Amino acid sequence: DQAQLSSLLQLAGRGGYRIVAASVIAAGQDYANSVTLDVGSRDGVHAQETVLNGDGLVGTVTQVSRDTSTVLLATDASSVVGARMAGSDQIGAVTGTGKSLSGPYLLRLRLFDGNVVPQAGQSLVTFGSVQDRPFVPGVPIGQVVQVQGNAGSLTQTALVRPFVNFTSLGIVGVVIAG
């Protein structure tokens, strides 16, 4: 846990994020890709705030009580995150693919410019949201592993391997907006 906290603080420092460190205390039941954290409104946490760890994007806060908060993970099929190809101006949306029974979690990228074909190995970061909610900019998301579709199709899609290991979430940070 000390190593997780250390890498979290390093990433937060690089991004200039103000964070509240938290521990995952429960995982969502059934098919919900969510976790519960041991921080809540008394710690300054609000809904629609970015959650990350030392590897990158974990998800976004959806519900907050006084002492706990619920996080929708980026892997959930209902999760949509604005994304930018690192080192370029190409933007798109990353969606979760839901619980994976066959192996590692993957995300799906859809680039808004159909003339741009993503390349395997390219990295993605969060594009950011208006007033940084629910996502602050610049948080690492993952790396393109497989390109789908053809050049000239309306949108380009690719599969993305997230930087975060969603099967071993321990210490995470909630980025406090404002």
Side-chain angles (χ1 to χ4, degrees), residues 77-144:
S78 68
S79 172
V80 181
V81 182
R84 181 173 59 79
M85 303 298 288
S88 83
D89 294 328
Q90 295 306 320
I91 59 171
V94 170
T95 55
T97 57
K99 281 244 201 282
S100 171
L101 300 176
S102 60
Y105 287 103
L106 291 173
L107 308 173
R108 183 166 285 113
L109 165 69
R110 188 169 51 85
L111 284 178
F112 296 144
D113 184 344
N115 295 315
V116 176
V117 180
Q119 303 294 315
Q122 283 184 293
S123 294
L124 298 169
V125 297
T126 54
F127 182 63
S129 309
V130 176
Q131 297 180 328
D132 290 344
R133 294 175 94 157
F135 297 106
V136 293
V139 179
I141 298 173
Q143 196 169 46
V144 173

Side-chain angles (χ1 to χ4, degrees), residues 18-99:
R18 282 179 47 222
I19 61 162
V20 171
S23 292
V24 173
I25 55 173
Q29 301 301 310
D30 303 323
Y31 294 101
N33 280 357
S34 65
V35 294
T36 303
L37 306 180
D38 65 351
V39 294
S41 58
R42 68 178 163 81
D43 304 290
V45 173
H46 297 92
Q48 300 289 298
E49 290 181 328
T50 308
V51 181
L52 45 76
N53 70 8
D55 296 319
L57 181 69
V58 171
T60 184
V61 176
T62 54
Q63 291 179 302
V64 180
S65 71
R66 186 175 172 278
D67 299 312
T68 65
S69 47
T70 303
V71 176
L72 181 72
L73 301 179
T75 53
D76 189 88
S78 68
S79 172
V80 181
V81 182
R84 181 173 59 79
M85 303 298 288
S88 83
D89 294 328
Q90 295 306 320
I91 59 171
V94 170
T95 55
T97 57
K99 281 244 201 282

